[in-house]
Amino acid sequence: GTQESTPEPLMVSTLSLSAGEDIHGANLTATFPAALPLRCVHERLAASGLWLPLLHLDSRESTLGGCVAAGFVNPLQLGFGVTRDWVLGLEVVTPTGSVLSLGGELVKNVAGYDLVRPHLGAWGRLGLISRVTVRLLPPPLDRATVEMTCAATAENIARVDEDVRRILTGRALPVALEVS
């Protein structure tokens, strides 16, 4: 009997690939390295008078590529949709080393099968995301946060469903709603 050896896990990082952003304000699109932290994406877009309606609870550490690869749930999805609604294109390095440019920089660029969608939420199983092209908006004119706090009694917990319905059918539609 020979004993089969298990290959060592391979860790690949894109953190050193942080150059080469391209912001097109006139087209409301931008391309960023996947390793760029989401907070830096927001800072650079704000300096250009643009906004990407994607947030992540751990935005200090999370990268744009990581959020796309994980297909994370966008806290602003109630008003602005899910992450895939904002991703127009990807540059992906396949397991064989080929570099693929999927999608594009135009909002109406899909002809035939959309090869970007399978990569969103695939956790890098289909290839390493190296660049991400996103759709943008002008920044919101105003922001407001409303917070309600109550004791966790059975009566209050039962009332939460009613409160959420009332909020969602009110005059001002929220873009995010969190109940914890």
Side-chain angles (χ1 to χ4, degrees):
T2 61
Q3 188 174 9
E4 291 185 34
S5 63
T6 305
E8 289 290 320
L10 176 66
M11 178 183 257
V12 178
S13 173
T14 61
L15 291 178
S16 63
L17 303 174
S18 59
E21 64 192 54
D22 209 3
I23 299 173
H24 298 282
N27 292 340
L28 292 176
T29 63
T31 301
F32 292 102
L36 193 64
L38 197 54
R39 66 178 164 73
C40 293
V41 169
H42 288 290
E43 289 167 3
R44 291 184 175 137
L45 290 173
S48 297
L50 297 166
W51 183 58
L52 176 63
L54 296 181
L55 295 179
H56 194 279
L57 298 177
D58 188 19
S59 62
R60 294 202 51 76
E61 298 297 324
S62 58
T63 63
L64 177 60
C67 291
V68 169
F72 83 104
V73 176
N74 182 17
L76 298 177
Q77 74 180 22
L78 186 60
F80 295 100
V82 293
T83 303
R84 73 172 170 263
D85 296 334
W86 299 96
V87 177
L88 296 174
L90 298 173
E91 180 183 86
V92 177
V93 181
T94 68
T96 61
S98 299
V99 178
L100 305 176
S101 291
L102 309 174
E105 292 184 1
L106 301 174
V107 175
K108 298 198 181 252
N109 194 37
V110 178
Y113 186 69
D114 184 2
L115 294 174
V116 171
R117 301 282 185 233
H119 289 272
L120 307 178
W123 291 91
R125 289 183 189 96
L126 303 175
L128 178 76
I129 297 172
S130 56
R131 292 175 58 78
V132 180
T133 300
V134 291
R135 185 166 63 101
L136 305 171
L137 289 174
L141 296 175
D142 204 1
R143 297 175 191 206
T145 300
V146 177
E147 184 176 329
M148 295 172 35
T149 305
C150 63
T153 65
E155 182 181 318
N156 287 341
I157 292 171
R159 203 175 318 148
V160 167
D161 190 43
E162 179 184 321
D163 289 341
V164 168
R165 270 197 205 105
R166 195 175 51 220
I167 290 168
L168 292 176
T169 58
R171 290 179 15 165
L173 184 62
V175 297
L177 181 63
E178 179 182 346
V179 177
S180 58

